[in-house]
Amino acid sequence: MARPRDPFRAWKLALWVYAGTFFFVLYAPLVTIAVLSFNDSEITGFPIVSFSLRWYRVVFANPTLLSAFGHSVAVGLAAALLSTALALGLSLAFRHDFRGKGLLLNLVLVPVVIPGIIGGIVLLIFFGYAELRSALMTTVLVAHVNWVLPFAFLTLYPRVHRFDHTLEEAAMDLGAHPRQIFLHIVLPVIRPGIIATALFAFSLSFDEFIRTVFVVGEERTVPIQFWTMIVDRLAPELPAMAVVIIVVSMAAALLGFTYQRRADAAGT
Amino acid sequence: MSGSAVKPIGWPWLLAAPAVLWLVVFGLAPLVFMVAMSFWKSTIFGTRPDFQFGNYVRQVAEPLYGTLLLKSLRIAAVSTLIALLVSYPLAYFLTRLRGVWKSVFIIGLFMPFWTSYVVRTFVWLPILGRTGAINAALLSLGVIDQPIDWLIYNEGTVYLGLVYVYTLFMVLPIYLSLDRIDPRLVEAAVDLGARPWSVLWRILLPLSWPGVLSGCIMVFLLGVGAYVTPRLLGGPSGIMYGNMIADQFLNNSNWAFGAALGSTLVLVVVFLLLTTGRWIGIRQVFTGGRF
Amino acid sequence: MKRRAFLKHTGQALGAAAFAGLPGLTLAQQKTITAVFAGVILPDKVRPIVENATNVKLNNLPYVSPTDTVAKLTAPGGTSRYDFMVSVTNFMRGPLLGEREGQELAMALDMSKIPNAAKLLPLFRDETIRRAGKTYAVPIFWGYDSVVYDRKKIPEDAALTQSWKVLFDDKYAGRVALRDDAHQSIAVASMAMGHKKPFEMDTKDLAEVTKFLIAKKKNFRTLWTQFGEAVNLMSSGEVDAMYGWIVMRAVLQRRGLDVTNNWPTDGLLFWNQAAFIPKNAPNPNEAHAVLNAMCGVDYGLALTRETEYLVTSAGTAAALSANERRKLGYDILERKLNLVPLAWPRSMDAWIEAWGKVKAA
């Protein structure tokens, strides 16, 4: 008598129903935002007066919104590159045993241990006393890399660690120089993992708000811009802007994930 | 561990050096500075380094601060638990998908994460409010004849808001852990007569434990510092420790006291991490047991 | 290689976006000054008036709160980072002047560059921040906070409506909102309880007001934090009355709602904001020019008509019609309303703690 190989087969339906409900609840607010973005009304909310593309026109015609997007992309790229590079160094180092590894791990986690608002305020105080002006590529970048680095490390390390040592050992046995080994053997294989990490890092930076608010200067990021918009005026174009960002982010995520699957398929 | 036998790339400290430098300068130093400042005195004219314990005495003398700290810890813990219960089945669901569907659903999980969280929290009023979508739907269906008041502006809404925003941080590590489990283990168990609950309790859960703990600690840390969500969704009682800290800087000029509150929070959180760390081995958790 | 080409193109596209986002690419001939003030005082329609009159571009930083503006000034290096700041006069008076003479954080203004400042409404002539014959800050706009309410739900001519008590009365329980702000909400509760000088309350009175607020907490639907949120509360019908700003009333009225504000007999919270130039501002000449423009009639008329906030320039008030003056509230002195100036309380620490207790209860 053949027993079902999957012990959850009887629960399969329940699981699918659950997943369906989960995604429904997950997307309900997004769908609401999207619907509201087409609402021809100055006040964000129901009822729907009539459908119009008015707010999308406002978004694309507004230089500050677009420049905020540019700033977020700029600092996001910088934060992603920097934190991925730092995380890569850390990940490669962590493959070995060395004294102080535990301490170093705790140090890596410090930015995550510190709750967001304190992280921002601490940098504000720090930069204030260092008499450093708030600017995109200095103070904001530091805040973002701080936030992103631990996550980059935690994402990248498993991928680096999974890399098969025997390939490296074989190359060494054949007399290859460590740098050659890294460039020609290790790097090509972990590259998709690096890219995936960088994309994750970029997204974390893009969405970062609470630390940024304390160290932002004149060049605003998207979350800061959103917040400024709702602080002392109505922002009817806010949902439209949010939708634009979702679409762009989705494209980026799709990219990252394609690389991820390529890596998995290649058997990292 | 094969790691220590292989040194193909170079001295580990050299590789880690840039990151370490960064963390010491931009992570540790500001933290130390904040703790130092917590002993200073702030007036409306500014903050002066006059050493005093007043900021800490005040936290002990006035029960409000202890209450808020406990409240924040409680809310974070409950949110973590809810997030875990909500995320585990979904992580398992993701591991069972194959091919294109897996990518589709995982990207689908990420997507709501890409909206700014300012927007994600803002959007609940048109959904849960008296004239929001849910009430409108229920009214038009005749299920109720008065709008439901308690959908928003209470502690339940805060849980909803927090879990909603942080679910990704819970699903991801659990999924990564579950995905690595060799399906043959499960097959073998079934062949030996194991029932579904046994498989979950004795195989899946223990092997995905590092992922579970990773996710729990992430969500807990994120929740304990929550600031926007309780304020926007929590109604007149929507206050957590993070709000108290923020008020010192944004509505007052008492930076020293704010620094003291912040130091207390970091101290408590680090203490919690260390104690749980000793119990489950935090090093193991944060690297998925792959040291 | 397809993948490499794809990466390259994506990289280029993102790089272009990033490049566009990098600062300093505009080739303006005007000078740009760094300013800190609430965005509401320079809405997009009004901005050109100031920028064209002075040929100066204003780069205003994200505004957080009046207190944060003071904090920015008192932080190390704060006096040389910004050119032009505006904040609530009574909040800034102390920190701006410093404890004694010689410790001022703002620059002594060259009044010859600010001729418009001589023509202020009598109500505000004494509000200029001065020490030893030198002027450090000039009030440029003012307003009042009151209860913004829906006339259809709450009768305008009831005594209860024309008092802060309307926010605390059980008659409207669950249909009112306060602002999530220790300073203003405690002041309002204090006035509702009958205190004539809410900001001078002592510890005992503060404790009483705290108890009162805790008891009445269940009456509030929520405590709003943002402008847009507050407007949404009224426009969606979530609440019928709330602590509100002038500009909220304006927006809701323009939306077609039958909304107005009350004139509380127990005290109309009345404030003004003054402009000043930090001591070591990099561009003091331009800052002076901007200050002058903001004391002028053109700016005043535009701002007042756009946001319904009021300005201190006497010329603006004169240029409005009597009807406009009455509607906006320029005539509050003539109407003999009970004006309670917004001031820094005796101990803001205690007030913030009290508010924390109210919310935590």
Side-chain angles (χ1 to χ4, degrees):
Chain A
M1 160 168 60
R3 212 183 277 257
R5 294 196 83 74
D6 183 352
F8 285 77
R9 194 173 71 112
W11 300 42
K12 201 174 182 179
L13 185 64
L15 201 61
W16 272 90
V17 168
Y18 178 76
T21 320
F22 183 94
F23 277 96
F24 177 74
V25 173
L26 194 67
Y27 273 79
L30 278 193
V31 169
T32 311
I33 294 174
V35 167
L36 290 177
S37 72
F38 294 104
N39 188 9
D40 191 7
S41 158
E42 290 249 317
I43 296 180
T44 308
F46 294 108
I48 303 288
V49 172
S50 65
F51 282 93
S52 106
L53 287 175
R54 177 177 170 195
W55 305 121
Y56 286 93
R57 277 195 283 268
V58 169
V59 167
F60 286 108
N62 187 341
T64 41
L65 285 176
L66 296 178
S67 73
F69 187 70
H71 296 152
S72 274
V73 171
V75 80
L77 283 176
L81 285 170
L82 194 53
S83 56
T84 306
L86 293 173
L88 182 62
L90 271 178
S91 304
L92 292 169
F94 264 75
R95 296 170 69 202
H96 312 290
D97 272 327
F98 52 87
R99 273 221 322 250
K101 199 173 182 181
L103 189 69
L104 182 56
L105 181 67
N106 285 318
L107 186 62
V108 172
L109 295 175
V110 158
V112 183
V113 169
I114 301 178
I117 208 167
I118 296 181
I121 289 173
V122 157
L123 282 178
L124 170 70
I125 296 174
F126 185 70
F127 288 130
Y129 278 99
E131 306 214 1
L132 192 67
R133 275 187 87 118
S134 297
L136 194 70
M137 287 305 178
T138 53
T139 56
V140 175
L141 180 61
V142 168
H144 282 212
V145 173
N146 264 4
W147 166 238
V148 168
L149 181 55
F151 292 98
F153 171 69
L154 292 172
T155 312
L156 190 57
Y157 178 65
R159 313 225 180 281
V160 169
H161 183 85
R162 268 204 279 173
F163 181 78
D164 195 347
H165 284 303
T166 54
L167 280 170
E168 287 173 285
E169 283 169 18
M172 278 201 82
D173 286 344
L174 292 169
H177 194 268
R179 196 177 302 143
Q180 284 178 308
I181 296 176
F182 180 72
L183 282 175
H184 297 291
I185 295 180
V186 181
L187 195 59
V189 179
I190 63 173
R191 177 163 41 202
I194 293 179
I195 291 177
T197 302
L199 269 157
F200 185 47
F202 177 84
S203 335
L204 283 171
S205 157
F206 201 83
D207 196 37
E208 212 296 310
F209 167 72
I210 200 106
R211 289 163 185 79
T212 320
V213 91
F214 293 101
V215 296
V216 70
E218 293 145 23
E219 300 109 16
R220 302 175 189 178
T221 60
V222 165
I224 299 289
Q225 181 63 27
F226 276 0
W227 178 70
T228 318
M229 280 159 63
I230 61 175
V231 157
D232 52 19
R233 67 175 189 89
L234 280 184
E237 67 272 27
L238 192 85
M241 183 75 182
V243 170
V244 168
I245 290 181
I246 295 173
V247 170
V248 172
S249 309
M250 184 167 70
L254 216 69
L255 215 96
F257 212 76
T258 316
Y259 276 100
Q260 188 68 3
R261 285 188 35 79
R262 290 247 206 128
D264 289 347
T268 307
Chain B
M1 287 302 299
S2 60
S4 48
V6 180
K7 279 186 165 53
I9 289 177
W11 288 104
W13 273 105
L14 201 65
L15 284 169
V20 172
L21 194 67
W22 176 281
L23 285 166
V24 167
V25 171
F26 292 117
L28 201 57
L31 179 64
V32 168
F33 188 81
M34 176 183 77
V35 174
M37 187 184 232
S38 68
F39 292 103
W40 296 356
K41 188 156 177 59
S42 284
T43 62
I44 58 167
F45 301 112
T47 304
R48 280 195 257 277
D50 305 330
F51 193 88
Q52 49 116 18
F53 284 100
N55 297 319
Y56 288 100
V57 171
R58 194 171 153 202
Q59 287 183 60
V60 175
E62 171 54 60
L64 172 70
Y65 301 107
T67 311
L68 278 182
L69 188 57
L70 288 173
K71 182 179 182 188
S72 292
L73 293 173
R74 174 176 62 81
I75 291 184
V78 174
S79 305
T80 306
L81 191 62
I82 298 175
L84 176 61
L85 292 172
V86 164
S87 303
Y88 201 95
L90 192 85
Y92 182 72
F93 171 79
L94 289 173
T95 61
R96 289 174 42 81
L97 295 170
R98 293 280 167 265
V100 163
W101 287 110
K102 204 167 187 174
S103 316
V104 167
F105 273 89
I106 290 181
I107 290 183
L109 185 70
F110 265 77
M111 251 188 47
F113 189 54
W114 300 157
T115 38
S116 167
Y117 94 126
V118 172
V119 167
R120 265 178 313 198
T121 335
F122 198 77
V123 79
W124 291 108
L125 183 60
I127 295 178
L128 300 173
R130 281 188 180 131
T131 57
I134 292 184
N135 270 320
L138 289 176
L139 277 169
S140 68
L141 287 175
V143 177
I144 50 170
D145 43 53
Q146 284 290 328
I148 305 177
D149 269 355
W150 44 261
L151 290 175
I152 196 172
Y153 298 137
N154 51 52
E155 196 168 289
T157 330
V158 177
Y159 289 126
L160 176 66
L162 288 176
V163 169
Y164 181 79
V165 164
Y166 295 140
T167 290
L168 180 69
F169 288 91
M170 182 70 85
V171 172
L172 204 59
I174 297 179
Y175 163 73
L176 288 173
S177 273
L178 275 175
D179 209 34
R180 286 180 66 231
I181 296 177
D182 194 335
R184 291 174 295 181
L185 281 171
V186 173
E187 285 171 17
V190 169
D191 283 348
L192 290 169
R195 317 189 77 183
W197 278 114
S198 280
V199 175
L200 172 68
W201 196 249
R202 292 168 139 210
I203 299 181
L204 293 178
L205 208 53
L207 286 178
S208 63
W209 194 242
V212 168
L213 277 167
S214 243
C216 285
I217 290 180
M218 286 282 116
V219 173
F220 182 80
L221 291 179
L222 291 167
V224 89
Y227 162 64
V228 171
T229 309
R231 217 176 165 209
L232 220 45
L233 300 177
S237 294
I239 184 172
M240 284 170 71
Y241 204 73
N243 300 102
M244 206 48 169
I245 297 178
D247 275 352
Q248 305 304 323
F249 293 91
L250 301 179
N251 290 341
N252 197 3
S253 307
N254 204 337
W255 285 27
F257 188 58
L261 287 175
S263 303
T264 308
L265 184 63
V266 173
L267 195 73
V268 168
V269 166
V270 168
F271 174 74
L272 279 174
L273 275 180
L274 285 177
T275 45
T276 53
R278 197 164 295 160
W279 172 45
I280 35 132
I282 229 177
R283 295 165 71 200
Q284 184 168 20
V285 164
F286 272 92
T287 55
R290 295 187 208 100
F291 250 115
Chain C
M1 288 218 123
K2 240 175 151 183
R3 181 174 55 168
R4 227 171 257 163
F6 187 57
L7 254 186
K8 189 175 95 160
H9 287 312
T10 317
Q12 278 176 342
L14 283 175
F19 190 63
L22 283 175
L25 275 187
T26 49
L27 304 162
Q29 280 173 327
Q30 313 163 297
K31 263 214 163 176
T32 304
I33 64 172
T34 312
V36 180
F37 51 73
V40 74
I41 72 172
L42 203 65
D44 295 331
K45 286 198 189 126
V46 177
R47 182 182 285 262
I49 294 179
V50 173
E51 290 189 344
N52 292 341
T54 56
N55 200 26
V56 173
K57 195 163 167 342
L58 281 127
N59 209 325
N60 47 320
L61 301 184
Y63 177 79
V64 183
S65 68
T67 340
D68 178 71
T69 309
V70 172
K72 284 186 162 84
L73 182 72
T74 57
T79 49
S80 58
R81 250 183 242 151
Y82 317 103
D83 292 302
F84 182 74
M85 298 175 108
V86 180
S87 182
V88 176
T89 316
N90 285 341
F91 286 12
M92 296 178 336
R93 203 179 293 270
L96 199 86
L97 286 176
E99 283 180 277
R100 51 188 86 86
E101 200 175 329
Q103 292 185 337
E104 296 85 15
L105 295 175
M107 182 185 285
L109 296 171
D110 181 356
M111 300 310 286
S112 69
K113 293 192 184 142
I114 317 179
N116 284 332
K119 306 169 211 147
L120 297 179
L121 289 169
L123 191 57
F124 300 102
R125 289 210 198 111
D126 293 328
E127 290 285 312
T128 8
I129 299 183
R130 276 190 282 252
R131 177 185 268 164
K134 292 189 261 213
T135 308
Y136 291 94
V138 176
I140 56 172
F141 83 109
W142 60 282
Y144 44 85
D145 291 346
S146 54
V147 178
V148 174
Y149 66 96
D150 185 338
R151 247 198 297 234
K152 291 208 180 73
K153 305 274 178 62
I154 298 182
E156 186 172 3
D157 48 6
L160 178 65
T161 312
Q162 297 302 330
S163 150
W164 290 112
K165 295 196 184 60
V166 71
L167 291 174
F168 300 98
D169 198 295
D170 290 335
K171 195 160 156 202
Y172 302 113
R175 312 223 38 106
V176 299
L178 279 186
R179 184 182 182 194
D180 187 356
D181 181 280
H183 187 219
Q184 286 163 359
S185 291
I186 291 183
V188 159
S190 169
M191 289 190 284
M193 286 179 83
H195 289 101
K196 297 272 179 269
K197 298 196 180 203
F199 303 105
E200 290 174 35
M201 280 196 297
D202 60 20
T203 329
K204 191 166 75 64
D205 288 332
L206 181 62
E208 264 177 32
V209 173
T210 309
K211 264 211 326 250
F212 174 68
L213 276 167
I214 292 177
K216 290 291 176 184
K217 204 164 81 153
K218 55 180 173 25
N219 288 17
F220 310 130
R221 179 66 173 142
T222 187
L223 303 165
W224 60 263
T225 53
Q226 316 278 18
F227 176 90
E229 186 193 346
V231 169
N232 255 314
L233 282 173
M234 289 286 294
S235 72
S236 67
E238 196 78 22
V239 300
D240 297 327
M242 65 180 188
Y243 178 91
W245 302 342
I246 294 171
V247 71
M248 292 174 190
R249 175 196 74 197
V251 161
L252 288 163
Q253 282 173 347
R254 277 177 211 165
R255 180 79 177 74
L257 288 128
D258 190 7
V259 153
T260 186
N261 70 299
N262 72 346
W263 307 98
T265 48
D266 25 26
L268 182 70
L269 263 184
F270 153 74
W271 49 264
N272 65 79
Q273 293 204 12
F276 60 94
I277 301 174
K279 195 164 62 162
N280 305 316
N283 302 296
N285 291 331
E286 288 76 12
H288 275 90
V290 167
L291 220 178
N292 190 41
M294 284 188 169
C295 294
V297 176
D298 290 330
Y299 166 77
L301 277 176
L303 183 73
T304 239
R305 288 197 170 122
E306 175 66 21
T307 63
E308 298 196 2
Y309 275 124
L310 304 97
V311 294
T312 54
S313 126
T316 307
L320 293 167
S321 71
N323 240 354
E324 276 177 309
R325 271 202 293 275
R326 177 162 188 78
K327 179 174 176 288
L328 294 169
Y330 277 96
D331 60 347
I332 55 176
L333 271 188
E334 288 126 50
R335 283 156 69 167
K336 307 244 186 296
L337 290 169
N338 180 7
L339 298 177
V340 173
L342 192 74
W344 198 253
R346 279 212 187 139
S347 165
M348 187 57 112
D349 286 341
W351 281 47
I352 289 192
E353 207 169 81
W355 188 241
K357 284 191 213 165
V358 170
K359 287 188 84 179

